[in-house]
Every structure is written in C-alpha cells, then in structure tokens.
Amino acid sequence: MPSDRPIFIVGCPRSGTTLLQLMLHAHPRIAIPPETRFLLPVYEARRGFGDLREPGNRRELARWIVEAKETRFQDLGLDPSGVMAEIAGGPPTVGSALGIVFRAYARRFGRSRWGDKRPSYFRRLDVLMRMFPDAQIVHLIRDGRDCVASLNEMPWFNLDTFHAVSTWAEAVDAGRRAAQRLGRDAYYELRYEGLVSDPHVELRGLCAFLGEDYDPAMAEPHHMAKLAVPAHKKWHARTYGSVDADRVGSWVGRLEPWEVSLCESVIGSRLTANGYELTGAPRASAAILARYLRVTTRRRLGVRKRAAVDLVRRCREPNPVAASLTTPGARRRLTPAASEAR
C-alpha cells in the first residue's frame, strides 16, 4: 500500500533544507510547500479555538489559518473558501485541520502525499509527533561552521555568532535524541555535503526510508524553484541553479579566526562525530567561552520554560490533537533497501 505518512524536513537553519524541500517536491507523489508559519502557532493557540467537535469552532480555526497576518497561507496558492469548508467538515482535531491544508496543497499538484519544511521544527519534534503520530522526520545536517557563516550573513538572523553556534549544536543534539526515541522507521538523517556531491545516491536512500520509488527528477530541483520558493526570499537564489558543491567548506573564507576557534572548541566533538574534520585551531579564549556559556544557558532555560508551559496546557486540552487523515496500516517496517542506505 503506498504510504501517505506526513514528511517533515528539519535541521539547523542554512543547512540546505530548502534544497531538500525542492528535491522532495520534484517527486511525482510528494508535495512540500514553502514555509507556512502556521503549524506551531495553531498548536500553541489550540485551547482558544474551543471544542473542535463544534463545526463553528473548526470554522474559526480555519479562518485563522487562512486570514491571520502571522501565517503565510497566501504562498500556497489555494482557494481559501474551499480549504475553510474542508476543515469545517473534517475531523475535530488540530492535527487534522492542519493536515487538511497541506493535503489540499498536495492535491493542487496532483500529489497524494504531503510534507512540511521548517528548520526550527527540530525544537518541537515532540509537538509534531503529537499532532502527526505516523510522521517521518528527515533531518539534514551540514558542517556547523558553514551554517554559522551563512546564518551570520542572513538579513533575518538578528542574533550573533554565539547564538548561531548554539543553534547548530541544539539541532544536532535534538537529532540524537529523536533517533533514539523515534527509531529507524520514523527518523532519518542525511548530510548536506553528500546530498550536493552525489544527489542520486543520497536521494535513493531517502526514498527507501520513505517507502517511495526514486525519481531522477529529484536531483534537478531547480525546475521546482519557481513553483515552491517565494520570490521575496532572495537568500534562496541558489536554488534556481543546478545542484553543486561549491559552498561546501566555504566557511574557510567567511569566518573570523576567533569564530573558527569558538566552533571547534564548543562543537568540535559533534563535528567529528558527524564526519567533519577540525583544523586544529587554538582553543577559544576564556572570555569567549564564558560568553558562549551564558548564551547557551539562557537558551536552555527558555526551552525548559516552554516545555513546562506546554505540559500545563496539555492538561486542559478540550480535544485530542492527533490528526486522523492517513490510511490505516500505512505505517510500515523499514525496508531492506532503506536499512542498507542507513
């Protein structure tokens, strides 16, 4: 039976997740939209929509998804009234309402399987699995030094190098935990460097994990860029060209010596564990390391606070949150081909 399990792409920002989104969107059965920005906000606000067994409440939830300024529903190219009607007539859970939107996007392209991409989902994998218990998580990992260098150049990244390094470390650590908790049927990792150097091999392994046949069109994702990358995202300009490995290791000319020292001092073991070689840069100064520690401590406290708040909210939910849209029995054991690819 063909799978219709949701697919979520995660990773540190600037690790190549948009490229991977386009590669999967090029598959004849899969549709992955641009970042929508409404999945987590809807989850956080779920109690405010009341008992979703009431059609009127589902309609209000649908209206928020379609009309709220915080969302990017307009980037999906869908008929708002049609989506609202489908949510209002659908199952009474937040996960189902959200899944209906993504399913409609897939239907727009004649696809039967949908997914979503947002790098920062790595922070909320527990939430994704609550809403979509049969989801498959695809984690793309890139050399942390390249991610840091790229983040520092982004117009939307208003933090500093210390936060950029911490973000990469958090993404890798979240992946380690997810691999242990979710298992080989629900969690898959691949490296950006392999993806751009030999996309056919890497994408075959990914398709085996997903239970899909590989399609060579996936290795030419630039054909999808005009359809699935909003024009205002100028930082994704490279997705309009052919896949190449030109940016692999480009951190060498983009990071200051102290930034290289910081990276290799605090995430060096993670880098080597993921196959990246260190330069042997001198250890970062005590002042630099102390500043990094302050940043990571504040960030950890923020994560713990968010988890505590969510735990309280879970006790007061009017409805279950899990989607009920996928085909019973679609969950499967990992195929031998996928096992070899791992």
Side-chain angles (χ1 to χ4, degrees):
M1 176 186 298
S3 176
D4 58 357
R5 296 170 65 180
I7 303 164
F8 290 97
I9 300 172
V10 305
C12 178
R14 303 305 295 168
S15 59
T17 55
T18 298
L19 174 66
L20 183 56
Q21 168 213 344
L22 296 176
M23 287 173 161
L24 283 173
H25 194 66
H27 191 282
R29 277 188 18 89
I30 300 171
I32 311 285
E35 292 185 24
T36 57
R37 303 295 178 93
F38 56 65
L39 191 150
L40 292 179
V42 165
Y43 175 80
E44 297 293 350
R46 62 195 182 281
R47 287 194 302 154
F49 297 110
D51 189 342
L52 294 182
R53 289 173 296 185
E54 297 292 331
N57 290 340
R58 293 199 298 276
R59 194 170 294 109
E60 286 305 309
L61 168 58
R63 189 182 307 280
W64 190 92
I65 292 173
V66 168
E67 297 181 355
K69 294 181 180 179
E70 298 92 330
T71 79
R72 294 182 177 173
F73 178 87
Q74 66 275 9
D75 289 341
L76 302 182
L78 299 176
D79 171 40
S81 60
V83 171
M84 289 177 61
E86 196 170 348
I87 292 174
T93 71
V94 165
S96 296
L98 293 165
I100 283 171
V101 182
F102 293 109
R103 188 175 64 183
Y105 181 79
R107 199 163 55 228
R108 174 189 162 197
F109 293 93
R111 316 288 172 78
S112 55
R113 192 171 182 186
W114 63 266
D116 191 21
K117 184 276 290 189
R118 191 174 183 190
S120 60
Y121 282 159
F122 75 78
R123 297 188 177 96
R124 310 301 301 277
L125 291 179
D126 60 327
V127 169
L128 292 184
M129 299 309 294
R130 281 201 78 207
M131 291 194 288
F132 308 101
D134 55 356
Q136 291 185 287
I137 307 298
V138 180
H139 183 186
L140 185 60
I141 296 177
R142 184 184 185 185
D143 188 323
R145 294 161 296 190
D146 273 330
C147 286
V148 169
S150 188
L151 276 171
N152 285 342
E153 296 169 354
M154 291 299 103
W156 45 262
F157 188 72
N158 55 6
L159 299 172
D160 56 23
T161 296
F162 299 95
H163 284 273
V165 175
S166 185
T167 298
W168 187 86
E170 290 166 6
V172 169
D173 291 347
R176 296 279 66 76
R177 293 190 297 270
Q180 296 175 1
R181 185 174 70 252
L182 301 179
R184 295 162 65 85
D185 179 59
Y187 177 83
Y188 188 86
E189 283 183 2
L190 67 165
R191 302 291 180 273
Y192 168 82
E193 293 77 12
L195 187 64
V196 296
S197 298
D198 199 343
H200 293 288
V201 169
E202 294 298 324
L203 291 170
R204 285 183 191 277
L206 175 58
C207 284
F209 163 73
L210 297 173
E212 301 288 348
D213 293 330
Y214 172 65
D215 190 300
M218 299 173 70
E220 299 182 354
H222 58 282
H223 296 303
M224 295 289 108
K226 290 184 179 180
L227 293 175
V229 177
H232 65 271
K233 294 188 174 183
K234 304 300 184 184
W235 50 90
H236 289 322
R238 290 180 61 84
T239 61
Y240 290 87
S242 299
V243 177
D244 62 60
D246 290 353
R247 300 292 277 180
V248 172
S250 63
W251 61 267
V252 172
R254 300 159 74 193
L255 292 181
E256 298 292 332
W258 74 267
E259 293 174 311
V260 177
S261 291
L262 173 62
C263 287
E264 299 194 2
S265 296
V266 299
I267 60 173
S269 61
R270 296 179 181 88
L271 287 168
T272 56
N274 283 281
Y276 302 113
E277 294 184 4
L278 305 184
T279 66
R283 183 170 176 78
S285 69
I288 292 293
L289 293 175
R291 184 172 174 182
Y292 178 76
L293 180 60
R294 289 194 295 271
V295 167
T296 57
T297 299
R298 287 197 302 269
R299 290 172 67 102
R300 279 197 298 269
L301 290 174
V303 169
R304 291 172 184 170
K305 179 180 179 180
R306 184 174 60 224
V309 170
D310 188 53
L311 188 60
V312 172
R313 288 175 175 170
R314 291 185 187 196
C315 297
R316 302 174 182 175
E317 291 171 337
N319 310 107
V321 300
S324 55
L325 301 175
T326 50
T327 305
R331 193 175 181 90
R332 58 173 185 84
R333 292 184 180 275
L334 196 67
T335 65
S339 296
E340 293 172 5
R342 306 295 288 275

